Every structure is written in structure tokens, then in C-alpha cells.
């Protein structure tokens, strides 16, 4: 399990970056003068610009996948990870962020009941929420869903199954798909800038 996720950035790292971005362009906060790159109540939920800057520190870029092209057309050969943003569908529901990653080796994790991506914990059944031991299962190399709302990382499979996973997800939700790549030339189906419809209000991350 430790191979699937590890702490790269601490809360202090993200606070430092948010503070730097705010001091760089304080006018973006408007007349309220609070830091627009994070939740003003101190609950995290950082602006996407904080994540872009954090990845830049590690030598990576975050590319926005062009929604006008299918995810099956994206070149993932140099992609080290995929970040998904599910946009809120009503005013009081925050957007949800989670990551997908490809692993080249066989990995063993507990086999758990399927849960719906983006479904709040409170909406899950009692059987899904209760603590229990699950039978371990070994999976071939492939893509994994590292959503924190899942009890354990969830195996997706090969590129074809990844495409099907994202296509199904996009039918139920409004999505942003972002590709984490080394800081090199970008593919034609992705951009380092958000799509024009998103420029007015950058999404935030928890």
C-alpha cells in the first residue's frame, strides 16, 4: 500500500506557496483582501495555481486536457499522473479532486466493495463504511484510482479501461482532466493553460 501514495507536499508547503502567490498578485483578492489561493477559513481547499506551482518546484507541469478531444487521443507516454477535478453541481457542494496513476509493477491491495467516485462518505452504505478485513488481490501493471474517498486504492486496468473509466465518469459529472508531465514540450491535445471557460474562476483543491 505504501507504494501507491506518499506525502510529497506538507500543509506548510502549500501554505507557503499560497502566501507567495498572494503576495505576488494581491490585487486578485479584490476588495476583501484575503488570500484567494486558499480557503479563507483555513480549511485548505487550495487554488489550482498552488498545485501548479508546487509541481513546478518538483520539475513537473500540469496540462489541461482539451475537452473537445477524447481522452483516448491524449498522449500519455510521458505522463506521470492524472488529476481529476469533479466540478460542484450545486452551490454548497465543493468540487472534488483525486489522482490516477500508472504503475509498471504488479501490486497487491485488499479487494473491497466498489464505491462511487465523488460520493460523500455519509452516502455510503453501512457495509461500505464499517471496518473489516478484505481478501488481498494482486493486479497486473496498470492505472490506479487514488481517490481519498475510497477505502483503498482502486485498480482500473490498462489504457483501454482507463478511457472507459473516464468516459463513464464524464457522463455523470462535469470534469477537468489534468495531466502531470515532466517540464518538457506539451502535446497538441493538452495545454498548460485552463480552457477559456475556466479562466474566470480557477478551481481549488483540498
Amino acid at each position: 500500500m505504501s507504494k501507491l501514495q506518499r506525502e510529497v507536499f506538507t500543509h506548510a508547503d502549500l501554505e507557503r506557496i499560497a502566501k507567495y502567490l498572494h503576495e505576488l498578485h494581491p490585487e486578485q483578492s479584490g476588495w476583501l483582501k484575503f488570500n484567494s489561493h486558499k480557503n479563507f477559513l483555513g480549511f485548505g481547499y487550495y487554488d489550482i495555481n498552488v498545485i501548479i506551482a508546487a509541481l513546478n518546484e518538483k520539475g513537473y507541469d500540469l496540462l489541461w486536457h482539451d475537452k473537445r478531444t477524447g481522452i483516448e487521443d491524449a498522449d500519455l507516454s510521458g505522463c506521470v499522473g492524472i488529476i481529476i477535478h469533479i466540478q460542484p453541481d450545486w452551490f454548497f457542494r465543493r468540487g472534488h479532486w483525486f489522482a490516477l496513476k500508472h504503475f509498471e509493477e504488479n501490486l497487491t491491495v485488499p479487494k473491497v466493495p466498489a464505491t462511487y467516485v465523488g460520493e460523500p462518505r455519509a452516502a455510503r452504505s453501512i457495509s461500505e463504511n464499517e471496518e473489516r478485513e478484505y481478501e488481498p488481490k494482486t493486479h497486473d501493471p496498470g492505472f490506479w484510482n487514488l481517490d481519498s474517498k475510497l477505502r483503498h486504492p482502486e485498480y482500473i486496468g490498462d489504457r483501454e479501461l482507463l478511457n472507459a473509466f473516464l468516459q463513464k465518469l464524464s457522463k455523470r459529472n462535469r470534469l477537468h482532466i489534468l495531466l502531470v508531465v515532466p517540464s518538457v514540450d506539451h502535446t497538441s491535445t493538452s495545454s498548460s493553460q485552463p480552457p477559456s471557460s475556466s479562466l474566470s474562476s480557477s478551481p481549488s483543491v483540498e
Side-chain angles (χ1 to χ4, degrees), residues 15-182:
E15 286 288 307
R16 168 181 55 80
I17 294 171
K19 182 175 183 291
Y20 168 77
L21 292 175
H22 174 65
E23 292 175 349
L24 196 62
H25 296 288
E27 70 279 1
Q28 293 182 352
S29 296
W31 64 273
L32 291 176
K33 303 303 181 183
F34 61 81
N35 191 331
S36 62
H37 296 288
K38 66 173 187 174
N39 184 288
F40 72 96
L41 295 176
F43 298 146
Y45 205 58
Y46 297 96
D47 186 277
I48 185 59
N49 295 296
V50 174
I51 303 306
I52 292 174
L55 289 170
N56 288 164
E57 288 188 358
K58 299 297 183 181
Y60 295 101
D61 284 336
L62 191 59
L63 308 183
W64 298 72
H65 175 68
D66 190 340
K67 294 180 180 180
R68 294 170 297 182
T69 63
I71 187 61
E72 64 275 6
D73 297 324
D75 180 8
L76 302 185
S77 57
C79 181
V80 299
I82 302 172
I83 297 177
I84 305 297
H85 176 232
I86 297 180
Q87 296 178 266
D89 53 9
W90 52 289
F91 182 77
F92 292 103
R93 181 184 177 188
R94 296 191 303 181
H96 178 56
W97 292 83
F98 63 97
L100 310 177
K101 184 173 174 57
H102 185 274
F103 290 91
E104 297 291 346
E105 65 269 40
N106 295 338
L107 294 174
T108 301
V109 298
K111 183 179 180 181
V112 299
T115 55
Y116 293 103
V117 175
E119 192 73 32
R121 289 186 175 88
R124 299 179 190 174
S125 67
I126 295 176
S127 62
E128 288 173 332
N129 278 316
E130 66 180 352
E131 293 294 336
R132 63 173 67 180
E133 293 294 328
Y134 295 107
E135 177 186 356
K137 182 177 181 180
T138 300
H139 297 275
D140 294 330
F143 291 91
W144 287 79
N145 180 357
L146 305 181
D147 188 352
S148 62
K149 290 189 175 183
L150 298 173
R151 186 174 296 280
H152 297 284
E154 182 177 82
Y155 180 67
I156 297 173
D158 60 16
R159 176 61 188 274
E160 184 175 345
L161 291 172
L162 172 69
N163 293 340
F165 172 86
L166 292 174
Q167 289 164 359
K168 181 178 180 181
L169 194 64
S170 65
K171 291 180 179 178
R172 301 201 312 262
N173 305 274
R174 293 182 298 155
L175 297 182
H176 287 128
I177 299 176
L178 305 102
L179 311 180
V180 181
V181 300

